Amino acid sequence: MGTTPEAAPGSPQDPPDGSHTGSFDGSTEGTPEGTPDGPSGGPSDGTPARAPAPSGPRTLAEALRSCGDDELAALLRTRPDLLNPVPGDLTQLATRAGTRASVVRALDRLDRFALQTAEALAVALEPTPYGTLLALLTGDDAYGDTDGTIAGALPGALGALRAQALVWGDDDRLRLVRTARELLTPSPARPSPTGLGPTAAEATAGMSPGRLQEVVTAAGLPSTHDPVSAVAALTALFTDRTRMAALLDTAPPGALAVLDRLVWGPPYGEVTADPAPPVRWLRDRGLLLPASPRTLVLPREVALHLRAGRAHRAPEPLPPEVRPAVSALAARPQVVDSTAAGQALAALSTVEDLLQDWHEGGPQVLRAGGLSVRDLKRTAVALDASEPMAAFWVELAYAAGLLASDGEADEAYAPTPAYDDWLELPAADRWAVLAAAWLAATRTPGLVGDVDGKGRTLAALGPGIDRSVAPEVRRRVLTLLGALPEAQAPDPDTLLARLRWERPLRRPEGATGAAGPAGSAMDGMDLRARVATWTLAEAESLGVTGRGALASHGRALLAALRPTAGTEAEAGPEAGAGADAGAGGGGVGAAVRAAADALAPLLPAPLDHVLLQADLTAVAPGPLERPLAETLSVLADVESKGGATVYRFTPGSVRRALDAGRTASELHALLAAHSRTPVPQPLSYLIDDVARRHGHLRIGAASAYVRCDDDALLDEILADKRSAGLRLRRLAPTVVASAADPATLLTGLRSMGYAPAAESAEGDVLIARAHARRTPPRKPPAPQSDGLPVPAPALLAAAVKAIRAGDLAATVARKPVHDTAHGAARESAPAPGPDEAPAPGRGELPRTSAAETLATVQAAAMTGSAVWIGYVNADGAASQRVIAPVRVEGGFVTGYDHTADEVRTYPLHRITGVAELAED
């Protein structure tokens, strides 16, 4: 494809000790290694040279056969898409590893330096020696690597590419997978991060022979007889540092400035029909070549010369350091822990308030699913939070399985039965349930309010806000926070820079934008950075962090997650959502259990008392025991929350307690028993006054009526202009009827300052208790992943074993099989030699007659030898197997199947043919 400049004397370096040799090769193509990639493949003087005979593997399949089981298992772990379904042999595995979709997924999981290494290979001549690759990253004479950082990091990056089967070959003949080369090679439609353009050979592909000879002559080169040698001569000039320097010394003023604007990309520039003299001088000598009638391009070889041989302007061999933010809390971990514990209590209180607000039935479900904007605003007001934070709490309760839709005809949201069980748990365990749901959830509340690709607004609890990257980013952010010194918060900019290095944003051709919906408020920031920003805020609100630093229970959560993270580390800086799912719930369960145990000592014990004050308020200096908290929530209104909760007693709140069946004496006794201060006289008077008037008016269903023993009071109500809307009329001295329903009548009279009570048909007072509405049992929403989970070790071992066995059956050498159709012996495909490509027709199922099949397996059973069979199962799937028959009877052959590594029985009529194995 591309070319690379001749390295300066002494610049190619030998591979470091311990470098991989003969490891996997990420290409299935069988192109001989010595074949040049075009006119630029020859030496710098343009003379074609014949490459030496290749000594390493020529295809990925050959390289995979030389790998150990551990290497194959590592490949399947890092690229689980190769396992679905399990390849039949190593040739199938190699073919699948080179498909476009699989290669794109593998490239997306590379860190920045590994990706830069792959990009450097994509612009180099193939096969690429290790020294040439190093020179492309460091520049001539290691100009860009004075401290040796790049040279030290390159073996690791190359190892990562090899481990994912993206690079193959020995260190002196490195090859990039053909699909990866196509994706990473610069082109007008797909610019490369290197900023390089096409090679001189590619840029002159459409140039006429006469024009090409003019360029060669203007560059001071002797004319040639054909375009191929002309291009080779130009390439040799551009890659010769001495001759190029001499040519550029003769450039007119302004020419070098033009090159400087193009050297680091983009390499394309527009020109007029009559370009300026410096541009004309560059164009005439081929230093700028035409890409279209009005566009010139800087050839790759010229750009590399101007860059001193560097493929990238700023290679990044090391990940950026996550630095702590400037904070006065660096030496005060207890402040972080206490702050985080307070946030954890506030989180529990907020979720309880949300579900208590929806206790009797929440808002309606939109037809398209989710919560309406109006209902989200109402929820935000009820929780005294912003709309984004209200969306977070709603989504958190939904992810924890505490909230769901009821599934009725008029579908609405309501708490689930699991909410009642959750309320009975200790505070630390309740927090653990929320933390576990938050860690694993793929739903991303931060997207609420954005617009999807079809122009629809994303709603809370609605479809379209699942992002499989969210759990992965949350865990990675916690890991980076845990690496900081204790009680230190991170600098957000350095944290985002680290995440971008670990997974640089790539948008492969045809992929949708990864930065979120079009027109979003954070458009231009990639999704991982957005999720990381949201994670910092969510972790603070949930109490995982305090004042930005990871709390002690957050570190316990991180420590328990490390076994899972270790598995993920084998797949890259962090594994995807599939890894979260593949790790199973045990790791997450242990993590949150450890975090709950660490949080419990930090939470205050529930209190059984309040402090009553003369201004008709009660102060709860901490969390209250649940029975007392539930009683106070009915008897008083919450005025403020924080470290202490302030309740205010009003006539309406006392009436609410009386409606719930409490009597005045019970309320006096309750307050006296749970107050550390004497019950204030104004509060006692308030309770007695409301109780004396409560129930004096009785309302029942006529449509509705008002009954009162005091006819003067009814006269007062009828005379009040505010009662006109109730359409009252007198039926008797002590009874008034209304056209309104009882509930409306109750509300209307209460708004007028009266204290009516509802009564039953028998005349008994109806006790008004909140009706707890619950959905049918619901499971929490399963995290949605767009990838595959990391395979379990047992699956990997079985898959490697099956692939090895299938490859043995496909590649084993066989004796000649008699061709009954032509009456001649047909030689089975022999195993290829180390320097040979696979033979055509290799792996075909043998074809023998039924009599030949029976005779061959009987002979093998008698001699104890193994045979190669073609077999078609009941589903019609064909396979190849190596078996050692031990018994042939009743139309079946029983033997040891080397492919499956077990004894099996096969019907003879399903064996398509059989061949003896060739002797070693």
Side-chain angles (χ1 to χ4, degrees):
M1 281 282 194
T3 61
T4 185
E6 288 184 346
S11 61
Q13 301 182 20
D14 292 332
D17 294 338
S19 60
H20 298 275
T21 301
S23 187
F24 349 115
D25 325 321
S27 175
T28 61
E29 54 269 17
T31 305
E33 290 194 38
T35 304
D37 202 18
S40 59
S44 59
D45 60 359
T47 304
R50 184 175 182 84
S55 58
R58 300 175 60 193
T59 65
L60 173 60
E62 289 183 10
L64 291 177
R65 291 187 182 101
S66 66
C67 295
D69 290 351
D70 291 342
E71 291 175 292
L72 290 180
L75 170 62
L76 297 175
R77 184 185 304 111
T78 56
R79 296 176 65 177
D81 57 292
L82 302 180
L83 263 181
N84 190 25
V86 176
D89 53 39
L90 290 172
T91 301
Q92 290 185 19
L93 176 62
T95 302
R96 196 176 298 172
T99 58
R100 182 184 180 86
S102 182
V103 170
V104 166
R105 281 192 288 266
L107 290 175
D108 285 346
R109 303 197 67 80
L110 295 177
D111 62 48
R112 189 178 299 279
F113 188 59
L115 187 59
Q116 288 179 333
T117 302
E119 291 163 352
L121 281 171
V123 299
L125 177 67
E126 190 178 67
T128 308
Y130 183 91
T132 301
L133 173 62
L134 181 61
L136 282 171
L137 292 170
T138 61
D140 296 338
D141 297 322
Y143 170 80
D145 190 32
T146 56
D147 58 356
T149 304
I150 297 176
L154 182 57
L158 201 55
L161 294 172
R162 279 173 161 148
Q164 298 202 45
L166 294 172
V167 169
W168 60 282
D170 298 340
D171 282 324
D172 58 342
R173 307 187 71 81
L174 296 171
R175 288 179 178 270
L176 193 64
V177 179
R178 179 177 298 171
T179 307
R181 178 174 286 274
E182 293 171 354
L183 290 169
L184 298 176
T185 299
S187 70
R190 189 175 49 252
S192 168
T194 62
L196 293 171
T199 63
E202 294 167 346
T204 58
M207 188 177 291
S208 66
R211 173 61 184 147
L212 195 55
Q213 292 299 327
E214 293 176 2
V215 171
V216 169
T217 303
L221 299 173
S223 60
T224 62
H225 300 290
D226 59 89
V228 174
S229 57
V231 171
L234 277 177
T235 301
L237 170 64
F238 295 159
T239 55
D240 189 312
R241 295 289 187 264
T242 303
R243 289 194 291 164
M244 272 293 289
L247 177 61
L248 292 176
D249 286 342
T250 64
L256 295 181
V258 173
L259 295 178
D260 287 341
R261 289 197 293 270
L262 301 176
V263 64
W264 291 109
Y268 296 90
E270 293 186 358
V271 294
T272 62
D274 184 20
V279 175
R280 188 182 306 113
W281 186 91
L282 294 171
R283 185 190 61 185
D284 292 344
R285 286 153 183 78
L287 299 176
L288 293 179
L289 292 171
S292 70
R294 303 296 295 271
T295 305
L296 295 177
V297 63
L298 181 67
R300 187 183 306 169
E301 296 87 348
V302 177
L304 285 172
H305 172 82
L306 297 171
R307 297 178 177 194
R310 287 181 292 167
H312 294 86
R313 188 170 196 167
E316 299 181 53
L318 299 178
E321 180 186 3
V322 179
R323 296 191 299 270
V326 179
S327 173
L329 303 177
R332 301 179 61 190
Q334 64 275 16
V335 175
V336 172
D337 288 347
S338 61
T339 302
Q343 287 295 116
L345 273 180
L348 296 178
S349 176
T350 302
V351 173
E352 290 178 23
D353 290 346
L354 168 67
L355 296 174
Q356 188 66 32
D357 187 49
W358 294 3
H359 191 65
E360 298 183 56
Q364 298 290 317
V365 179
L366 292 174
R367 181 178 301 177
L371 202 63
S372 69
V373 174
R374 179 182 301 173
D375 289 328
L376 181 60
K377 289 181 178 179
R378 289 173 179 169
T379 302
V381 171
L383 298 180
D384 192 21
S386 63
E387 290 181 33
M389 284 308 303
F392 168 68
W393 295 119
V394 169
E395 287 286 351
L396 181 62
Y398 177 63
L402 308 178
L403 172 68
S405 61
D406 57 14
E408 301 292 338
D410 294 329
E411 197 172 11
Y413 292 106
T416 64
Y419 168 62
D420 299 310
D421 298 332
W422 180 76
L423 286 176
E424 300 301 322
L425 296 174
D429 291 344
R430 281 184 282 134
W431 179 86
V433 172
L434 299 181
W438 175 69
L439 275 174
T442 55
R443 296 188 64 81
T444 312
L447 294 174
V448 172
D450 281 359
V451 179
D452 65 10
K454 296 182 179 179
R456 297 172 301 192
T457 302
L458 299 176
L461 300 179
I465 64 172
D466 281 281
R467 298 292 184 271
S468 61
V469 74
E472 165 197 335
V473 174
R474 291 189 194 111
R475 293 187 176 205
R476 188 58 185 157
V477 168
L478 290 184
T479 300
L480 294 175
L481 291 180
L484 291 173
E486 192 174 8
Q488 289 195 356
D491 178 4
D493 292 337
T494 62
L495 178 67
L496 295 180
R498 175 62 171 268
L499 292 176
R500 282 192 292 268
W501 184 92
E502 291 179 348
R503 193 69 55 80
L505 177 65
R506 287 189 48 78
R507 298 188 184 186
E509 185 180 38
T512 57
S520 62
M522 301 177 73
D523 193 21
M525 181 184 289
D526 65 278
L527 180 61
R528 287 173 56 81
R530 299 179 71 190
V531 174
T533 303
W534 295 328
T535 296
L536 293 175
E538 292 167 1
E540 188 75 14
S541 299
L542 193 54
V544 177
T545 60
R547 300 196 179 186
L550 198 63
S552 59
H553 50 279
R555 292 184 180 274
L557 181 66
L558 177 61
L561 285 174
R562 278 173 186 161
T564 302
T567 303
E568 295 169 354
E570 298 177 5
E574 64 269 36
D580 297 329
V588 175
V592 296
R593 180 69 265 167
D597 293 341
L599 175 63
L602 302 174
L603 298 178
L607 303 177
D608 63 350
H609 64 273
V610 295
L611 305 177
L612 296 177
Q613 302 185 110
D615 60 351
L616 297 181
T617 60
V619 178
L624 297 177
E625 293 179 348
R626 182 154 304 280
L628 179 58
E630 291 177 348
T631 302
L632 271 181
S633 66
V634 176
L635 179 58
D637 297 324
V638 176
E639 190 169 78
S640 65
K641 288 186 175 182
T645 303
V646 178
Y647 296 87
R648 177 164 295 279
F649 299 94
T650 64
S653 66
V654 174
R655 190 205 69 244
R656 187 169 62 230
L658 296 174
D659 287 342
R662 296 279 187 171
T663 63
S665 59
E666 290 175 345
L667 296 180
H668 286 302
L670 173 73
L671 294 176
H674 292 285
S675 176
R676 289 292 178 88
T677 58
V679 179
Q681 192 177 55
L683 180 57
S684 298
Y685 287 168
L686 174 65
I687 295 174
D688 291 338
D689 184 56
V690 174
R692 182 169 52 255
R693 295 183 293 113
H694 182 263
H696 198 48
L697 294 174
R698 299 293 184 89
I699 295 178
S703 176
Y705 63 84
V706 180
R707 181 173 63 85
C708 182
D709 294 336
D710 185 358
D711 54 354
L713 182 57
L714 292 180
D715 292 337
E716 179 184 337
I717 293 173
L718 290 170
D720 195 325
K721 293 182 179 180
R722 293 176 295 174
S723 66
L726 300 177
R727 290 177 292 173
L728 300 173
R729 62 188 180 88
R730 199 162 202 149
L731 299 180
T734 58
V735 179
V736 173
S738 172
D741 61 88
T744 303
L745 187 55
L746 273 169
T747 303
L749 292 178
R750 285 171 178 170
S751 66
M752 294 167 61
Y754 300 99
E759 71 175 10
S760 66
E762 292 76 20
D764 301 322
V765 174
L766 292 175
I767 296 175
R769 289 192 176 94
H771 173 65
R773 185 175 180 181
R774 296 291 181 265
T775 69
R778 295 275 194 268
K779 290 184 178 180
Q784 297 184 15
S785 172
D786 58 2
L788 295 172
V790 174
L795 175 60
L796 289 174
V800 170
K801 185 176 180 181
I803 294 171
R804 289 284 194 197
D807 196 63
L808 172 64
T811 59
V812 67
R814 305 181 295 277
K815 289 184 178 180
V817 178
H818 183 74
D819 192 334
T820 57
H822 300 85
R826 175 167 50 86
E827 193 72 29
S828 294
D835 298 332
E836 298 173 355
R842 176 176 182 70
E844 294 179 353
L845 290 176
R847 296 290 179 179
T848 57
S849 65
E852 288 175 324
T853 298
L854 179 60
T856 304
V857 296
Q858 285 177 336
M862 294 177 62
T863 61
S865 59
V867 294
W868 189 80
I869 67 170
Y871 179 75
V872 179
N873 63 15
D875 297 327
S879 61
Q880 308 164 42
R881 301 177 178 275
V882 176
I883 67 171
V886 295
R887 185 173 64 252
V888 182
E889 61 182 11
F892 293 88
V893 55
T894 300
Y896 178 76
D897 189 335
H898 291 273
T899 308
D901 196 19
E902 64 183 5
V903 176
R904 288 187 174 181
T905 299
Y906 296 99
L908 285 171
H909 68 277
R910 293 194 178 278
I911 296 178
T912 61
V914 62
E916 298 180 28
L917 301 184
E919 296 179 1
D920 294 336

